[in-house]
PDB file of all heavy atoms in Angstrom:
ATOM      1  N   GLU L 451     -15.801  -9.077  14.536  1.00  0.00           N
ATOM      2  CA  GLU L 451     -16.571  -9.845  13.545  1.00  0.00           C
ATOM      3  C   GLU L 451     -16.186  -9.372  12.064  1.00  0.00           C
ATOM      4  O   GLU L 451     -16.646 -10.081  11.135  1.00  0.00           O
ATOM      5  CB  GLU L 451     -17.984  -9.917  13.882  1.00  0.00           C
ATOM      6  CG  GLU L 451     -18.282 -10.708  15.084  1.00  0.00           C
ATOM      7  CD  GLU L 451     -19.797 -10.576  15.529  1.00  0.00           C
ATOM      8  OE1 GLU L 451     -20.685 -10.520  14.572  1.00  0.00           O
ATOM      9  OE2 GLU L 451     -20.033 -10.641  16.756  1.00  0.00           O
ATOM     10  N   CYS L 458     -16.168  -4.561  -0.420  1.00  0.00           N
ATOM     11  CA  CYS L 458     -16.450  -4.643  -1.826  1.00  0.00           C
ATOM     12  C   CYS L 458     -16.702  -3.257  -2.577  1.00  0.00           C
ATOM     13  O   CYS L 458     -17.207  -2.331  -1.799  1.00  0.00           O
ATOM     14  CB  CYS L 458     -17.792  -5.361  -2.012  1.00  0.00           C
ATOM     15  SG  CYS L 458     -17.854  -6.912  -1.343  1.00  0.00           S
ATOM     16  N   ARG L 461     -16.665  -0.488  -9.390  1.00  0.00           N
ATOM     17  CA  ARG L 461     -16.073   0.545 -10.158  1.00  0.00           C
ATOM     18  C   ARG L 461     -16.248   0.178 -11.624  1.00  0.00           C
ATOM     19  O   ARG L 461     -15.946  -0.865 -12.131  1.00  0.00           O
ATOM     20  CB  ARG L 461     -14.633   0.774  -9.990  1.00  0.00           C
ATOM     21  CG  ARG L 461     -14.340   1.497  -8.688  1.00  0.00           C
ATOM     22  CD  ARG L 461     -12.871   2.025  -8.645  1.00  0.00           C
ATOM     23  NE  ARG L 461     -11.964   1.106  -8.356  1.00  0.00           N
ATOM     24  CZ  ARG L 461     -10.724   1.294  -8.095  1.00  0.00           C
ATOM     25  NH1 ARG L 461     -10.245   2.540  -8.233  1.00  0.00           N
ATOM     26  NH2 ARG L 461      -9.853   0.343  -7.749  1.00  0.00           N
ATOM     27  N   ILE L 470     -11.363  -8.595   4.699  1.00  0.00           N
ATOM     28  CA  ILE L 470     -10.793  -7.654   5.754  1.00  0.00           C
ATOM     29  C   ILE L 470      -9.923  -8.492   6.714  1.00  0.00           C
ATOM     30  O   ILE L 470     -10.270  -9.428   7.230  1.00  0.00           O
ATOM     31  CB  ILE L 470     -12.005  -6.934   6.549  1.00  0.00           C
ATOM     32  CG1 ILE L 470     -12.731  -6.056   5.452  1.00  0.00           C
ATOM     33  CG2 ILE L 470     -11.424  -6.174   7.642  1.00  0.00           C
ATOM     34  CD1 ILE L 470     -14.125  -5.527   6.095  1.00  0.00           C
ATOM     35  N   ALA L 475     -10.972  -0.535  16.619  1.00  0.00           N
ATOM     36  CA  ALA L 475     -12.207  -0.053  17.206  1.00  0.00           C
ATOM     37  C   ALA L 475     -11.945   1.289  17.773  1.00  0.00           C
ATOM     38  O   ALA L 475     -10.890   1.549  18.618  1.00  0.00           O
ATOM     39  CB  ALA L 475     -12.708  -0.914  18.237  1.00  0.00           C
ATOM     40  N   GLY L 511      -2.546  15.199   5.731  1.00  0.00           N
ATOM     41  CA  GLY L 511      -2.547  15.908   4.598  1.00  0.00           C
ATOM     42  C   GLY L 511      -2.549  15.226   3.232  1.00  0.00           C
ATOM     43  O   GLY L 511      -2.668  15.928   2.191  1.00  0.00           O
ATOM     44  N   LEU L 516     -10.637   5.034   6.077  1.00  0.00           N
ATOM     45  CA  LEU L 516     -11.928   4.516   5.821  1.00  0.00           C
ATOM     46  C   LEU L 516     -12.361   3.868   7.195  1.00  0.00           C
ATOM     47  O   LEU L 516     -11.841   2.914   7.690  1.00  0.00           O
ATOM     48  CB  LEU L 516     -11.958   3.437   4.837  1.00  0.00           C
ATOM     49  CG  LEU L 516     -13.325   2.750   4.497  1.00  0.00           C
ATOM     50  CD1 LEU L 516     -14.381   3.820   4.029  1.00  0.00           C
ATOM     51  CD2 LEU L 516     -13.164   1.757   3.404  1.00  0.00           C
ATOM     52  N   ILE L 518     -16.108   2.626   9.404  1.00  0.00           N
ATOM     53  CA  ILE L 518     -17.650   2.323   9.366  1.00  0.00           C
ATOM     54  C   ILE L 518     -18.151   2.732  10.749  1.00  0.00           C
ATOM     55  O   ILE L 518     -17.604   2.207  11.795  1.00  0.00           O
ATOM     56  CB  ILE L 518     -17.884   0.928   8.974  1.00  0.00           C
ATOM     57  CG1 ILE L 518     -19.315   0.626   8.760  1.00  0.00           C
ATOM     58  CG2 ILE L 518     -17.243  -0.158   9.878  1.00  0.00           C
ATOM     59  CD1 ILE L 518     -19.945   1.069   7.453  1.00  0.00           C
ATOM     60  N   LEU L 530     -12.108   1.443  12.255  1.00  0.00           N
ATOM     61  CA  LEU L 530     -11.133   1.822  11.194  1.00  0.00           C
ATOM     62  C   LEU L 530     -10.671   0.551  10.371  1.00  0.00           C
ATOM     63  O   LEU L 530     -10.219  -0.468  10.999  1.00  0.00           O
ATOM     64  CB  LEU L 530      -9.879   2.383  11.735  1.00  0.00           C
ATOM     65  CG  LEU L 530      -8.747   2.743  10.685  1.00  0.00           C
ATOM     66  CD1 LEU L 530      -9.023   3.677   9.571  1.00  0.00           C
ATOM     67  CD2 LEU L 530      -7.560   3.240  11.480  1.00  0.00           C
ATOM     68  N   GLU L 535      -7.021  -8.197   2.360  1.00  0.00           N
ATOM     69  CA  GLU L 535      -6.134  -9.278   1.728  1.00  0.00           C
ATOM     70  C   GLU L 535      -5.254  -8.606   0.680  1.00  0.00           C
ATOM     71  O   GLU L 535      -5.703  -7.968  -0.257  1.00  0.00           O
ATOM     72  CB  GLU L 535      -7.053 -10.193   1.062  1.00  0.00           C
ATOM     73  CG  GLU L 535      -6.566 -11.570   0.899  1.00  0.00           C
ATOM     74  CD  GLU L 535      -7.712 -12.599   0.492  1.00  0.00           C
ATOM     75  OE1 GLU L 535      -8.713 -12.163   0.160  1.00  0.00           O
ATOM     76  OE2 GLU L 535      -7.412 -13.808   0.712  1.00  0.00           O
ATOM     77  N   ILE L 537      -3.346  -6.048   0.833  1.00  0.00           N
ATOM     78  CA  ILE L 537      -3.039  -4.622   0.905  1.00  0.00           C
ATOM     79  C   ILE L 537      -3.013  -4.252   2.394  1.00  0.00           C
ATOM     80  O   ILE L 537      -4.115  -3.987   2.939  1.00  0.00           O
ATOM     81  CB  ILE L 537      -4.111  -3.841   0.200  1.00  0.00           C
ATOM     82  CG1 ILE L 537      -4.266  -4.266  -1.282  1.00  0.00           C
ATOM     83  CG2 ILE L 537      -3.596  -2.307   0.171  1.00  0.00           C
ATOM     84  CD1 ILE L 537      -5.342  -3.386  -2.075  1.00  0.00           C
ATOM     85  N   PHE L 553     -17.361   9.368  -0.038  1.00  0.00           N
ATOM     86  CA  PHE L 553     -18.099   8.294   0.677  1.00  0.00           C
ATOM     87  C   PHE L 553     -18.469   8.777   2.058  1.00  0.00           C
ATOM     88  O   PHE L 553     -19.283   8.188   2.705  1.00  0.00           O
ATOM     89  CB  PHE L 553     -17.317   6.969   0.746  1.00  0.00           C
ATOM     90  CG  PHE L 553     -17.164   6.365  -0.669  1.00  0.00           C
ATOM     91  CD1 PHE L 553     -15.975   6.562  -1.349  1.00  0.00           C
ATOM     92  CD2 PHE L 553     -18.184   5.618  -1.208  1.00  0.00           C
ATOM     93  CE1 PHE L 553     -15.818   6.077  -2.654  1.00  0.00           C
ATOM     94  CE2 PHE L 553     -17.983   5.159  -2.492  1.00  0.00           C
ATOM     95  CZ  PHE L 553     -16.873   5.307  -3.213  1.00  0.00           C
ATOM     96  N   GLY L 570     -19.643 -16.055   4.184  1.00  0.00           N
ATOM     97  CA  GLY L 570     -19.743 -17.352   4.838  1.00  0.00           C
ATOM     98  C   GLY L 570     -18.454 -17.876   5.283  1.00  0.00           C
ATOM     99  O   GLY L 570     -18.477 -19.013   5.711  1.00  0.00           O
ATOM    100  N   ILE L 584      -2.536   1.554  16.567  1.00  0.00           N
ATOM    101  CA  ILE L 584      -1.285   2.163  16.054  1.00  0.00           C
ATOM    102  C   ILE L 584      -1.429   3.706  16.013  1.00  0.00           C
ATOM    103  O   ILE L 584      -2.531   4.169  15.700  1.00  0.00           O
ATOM    104  CB  ILE L 584      -1.080   1.629  14.556  1.00  0.00           C
ATOM    105  CG1 ILE L 584      -0.968   0.044  14.517  1.00  0.00           C
ATOM    106  CG2 ILE L 584       0.097   2.303  13.926  1.00  0.00           C
ATOM    107  CD1 ILE L 584       0.186  -0.377  15.249  1.00  0.00           C
TER     108      ILE L 584
END
Side-chain angles (χ1 to χ4, degrees):
Chain L
E451 291 174 34
C458 304
R461 283 197 282 187
I470 295 172
L516 177 63
I518 186 82
L530 169 66
E535 206 169 15
I537 309 177
F553 293 98
I584 301 297

